Amino acid sequence: MSEAGDFSGAWVREAAVRIQPLIYRTPVVQWGRFFFKCENLQRGGAFKIRGAANRILSIPKQQLERGVVAFSSGNHAQATAIVAEHLGVQAAIVMPSDAPRAKVEATRERGARIISYDRLTEDREQIAGRILEETGGTLVPPYNHHLIMAGAGTAALELIEDVPGLDALVVCVGGGGFISGCAAIAREMNPAIRVFGAEPERANDVWQSVRAGRRITIPPPDTIADGLRTLSPGVLTFPVIQSLVEEIFLVSEEEILEAMRRVLYRLKLLVEPSGAVSAAAALFGKLPGGLKKVGVLLSGGNVDAELIRNL
Ligand SMILES: *Cc1c(COP(=O)(O)O)cnc(C)c1O
């Protein structure tokens, strides 16, 4: 078992064994030199169940009976609710009042209690803290936890197992749980693999932080990529990003929408805006030259009907 201080690929391998009964091994779809890992087809419609399952399955049974608490704009909420339902425990989820309706409804359908808050004026961690005091439950954070990072990284583990010889990975970045788990296992399996992040121009907290050499906090960002509206990288994810991620690429709102269209028309895959951010970086010439086989993580596919019409 790994020490809490040193996050590594070993955490991801342990996670893969622990969560295997609860998740799908999602397919990989090739388009030219790009290999898309389809986490939009994962249970709950995003990779988030990997981290949520790894965290929740690690809670001792007696403690687990007091329930779990999460805060999320949607996909992590749904993932936590699915795992809680599977294990027969109560989930309380703190969600922003402007979260996509499809995500709120899907979470409610899983029997979770939803606590709504105003993203611009209220602090979701404070609200979650209050619920934890009331219930004695356990927090399932969306990204800043080694078990969450490790669970998320199992997507890259599967991709690298299924597609030998990748020379790079492109992963979208919100709080950085997904990319830090993916980078840790990828670099352990192949020390030469290059790991790139992709972030919306309008939510460039990690891009700024990497340049500044410290965690930068931005005002609540206005981007269509609702899963990437984090204000700063995590205390635990940022050092991993600093040491293992070569570069973060920024994409515009137009590029995100165009990537969604192309992935839908060409690959017949519906990805949500956050999930299209890595595809946008790959498709719109952000990557360095000379890469022959590139793994692109499509992180999720939960889209409101209204956005599909607007596409
Ligand atoms: C949560 C999420 C992300 C960002 O993951 P982080 O671990 O916060 O970086 C990206 N895409 C989708 C679809 C998500 O749900």
Side-chain angles (χ1 to χ4, degrees):
M1 192 71 177
S2 339
E3 293 295 320
D6 59 336
F7 182 70
S8 70
W11 281 76
V12 181
R13 290 186 190 281
E14 284 165 17
V17 175
R18 189 176 292 125
I19 70 177
Q20 189 269 334
L22 256 167
I23 62 151
Y24 299 146
R25 187 177 187 106
T26 52
V28 179
V29 174
Q30 183 182 1
W31 183 11
R33 64 191 172 118
F34 299 120
F35 294 80
F36 293 96
K37 174 68 169 167
C38 299
E39 286 297 293
N40 57 316
L41 303 176
Q42 185 52 265
R43 277 178 101 172
F47 73 90
K48 287 291 200 309
I49 192 167
R50 296 174 181 272
N54 194 37
R55 167 68 170 132
I56 296 172
L57 291 170
S58 304
I59 300 170
K61 194 167 182 301
Q62 259 195 329
Q63 172 64 19
L64 186 59
E65 280 162 11
R66 294 170 177 266
V68 292
V69 179
F71 44 85
S72 160
S73 73
N75 288 336
H76 178 64
Q78 204 173 323
T80 302
I82 291 171
V83 179
E85 184 185 55
H86 178 83
L87 297 174
V89 300
Q90 185 56 236
I93 316 281
V94 182
M95 295 184 88
S97 46
D98 62 348
R101 287 236 311 276
K103 293 182 178 179
V104 179
E105 282 316 309
T107 307
R108 206 189 307 275
E109 276 169 23
R110 296 296 185 158
R113 176 161 76 102
I114 293 170
I115 301 96
S116 196
Y117 76 102
D118 183 339
R119 192 162 65 84
L120 303 180
T121 60
E122 292 181 279
D123 180 352
R124 63 186 192 171
E125 301 194 27
Q126 256 173 28
I127 299 170
R130 234 174 287 140
I131 301 166
L132 285 168
E133 268 175 34
E134 282 166 28
T135 61
T138 306
L139 182 67
V140 184
Y143 53 85
N144 194 43
H145 193 292
H146 282 155
L147 289 167
I148 300 290
M149 294 151 64
T154 59
L157 171 63
E158 292 175 4
L159 173 58
I160 293 166
E161 279 176 355
D162 291 349
V163 187
L166 288 175
D167 39 24
L169 287 186
V170 187
V171 190
C172 58
V173 184
F178 194 25
I179 197 171
S180 51
C182 288
I185 189 67
R187 291 290 293 275
E188 188 199 278
M189 294 170 85
N190 172 10
I193 201 166
R194 300 167 73 179
V195 182
F196 300 105
E199 218 179 14
E201 278 168 6
R202 289 198 186 171
N204 66 356
D205 52 307
V206 179
W207 181 88
Q208 283 193 43
S209 300
V210 167
R211 265 155 193 74
R214 65 189 171 85
R215 293 168 54 243
I216 300 279
T217 301
I218 60 172
D222 175 23
T223 168
I224 189 173
D226 57 279
L228 309 181
R229 287 178 192 150
T230 44
L231 308 185
S232 65
V235 173
L236 298 175
T237 60
F238 186 54
V240 180
I241 293 170
Q242 277 185 303
S243 71
L244 299 182
V245 176
E246 183 174 331
E247 175 76 271
I248 310 272
F249 301 116
L250 297 180
V251 300
S252 68
E253 298 294 296
E254 294 70 34
E255 286 172 327
I256 296 170
L257 284 169
E258 185 55 27
M260 280 181 76
R261 281 188 204 102
R262 290 201 197 177
V263 169
L264 181 60
Y265 295 153
R266 299 294 173 123
L267 304 179
K268 322 303 167 199
L269 291 170
L270 180 61
V271 294
E272 63 183 273
S274 305
V277 164
S278 54
L283 297 175
F284 300 120
K286 317 275 176 183
L287 306 183
L291 300 173
K292 292 192 186 72
K293 285 176 90 170
V294 180
V296 181
L297 284 292
L298 297 177
S299 56
N302 292 319
V303 187
D304 268 353
E306 195 187 316
L307 176 56
I308 301 178
R309 270 195 297 276
N310 292 343
L311 267 185

